[in-house]
Amino acid sequence: QVQLVESGGGLVQAGGSLRLSCAASGTILSINAMGWYRQAPGKQRALVAFIAVGSSTNYADSVKGRFTISRDNAKNTAYLQMNSLKPEDTAVYYCYAVVTTTSRSTVHYWGQGAQVTVSS
């Protein structure tokens, strides 16, 4: 089994910063990609940022220049540094990972979500 543990959510004023972490553990051979989606009330879940093998990254247009995703392969952990936060960034942020397990199966996993609230 593989588990994703998210941390770093919270309440921050507009213009502030937060850092989210997502750590994968379990029967992992390698992590092919990790990232976050977010969902605000009444809205669809949408991609925030993604980092894959070779450290290639992808960002939603709404967060480019403000958010930075990185990963520590040795720790099976991804980080999302969120700067210049805006009220419209308020959402539940769901970590996801594409994992190759020790049985050499490729499986997608989701974290339980972290609430990020940005006040005006």
Side-chain angles (χ1 to χ4, degrees):
Q1 297 284 347
V2 175
Q3 300 83 38
L4 301 180
V5 178
E6 298 185 61
S7 63
L11 174 65
V12 66
Q13 294 185 16
S17 298
L18 288 172
R19 189 179 75 160
L20 303 181
S21 299
C22 182
S25 62
T27 55
I28 298 169
L29 183 63
S30 63
I31 298 178
N32 306 97
M34 295 186 74
W36 277 266
Y37 286 71
R38 67 186 182 187
Q39 187 167 24
K43 295 186 178 180
Q44 294 180 284
R45 188 173 298 188
L47 175 72
V48 178
F50 175 91
I51 185 165
V53 63
S55 298
S56 61
T57 58
N58 188 49
Y59 297 93
D61 288 341
S62 59
V63 308
K64 286 181 179 177
R66 300 187 297 120
F67 291 11
T68 302
I69 190 167
S70 60
R71 64 189 291 181
D72 185 334
N73 292 330
K75 297 180 179 180
N76 290 331
T77 300
Y79 305 93
L80 184 66
Q81 179 66 44
M82 304 185 293
N83 297 327
S84 302
L85 283 162
K86 304 175 181 179
E88 51 262 45
D89 295 318
T90 295
V92 178
Y93 285 67
Y94 294 94
C95 178
Y96 76 93
V98 183
V99 177
T100 299
T101 69
T102 53
S103 62
R104 300 187 182 275
S105 298
T106 299
V107 186
H108 294 236
Y109 293 95
W110 289 91
Q112 294 300 308
Q115 177 68 50
V116 172
T117 302
V118 184
S119 66
S120 300

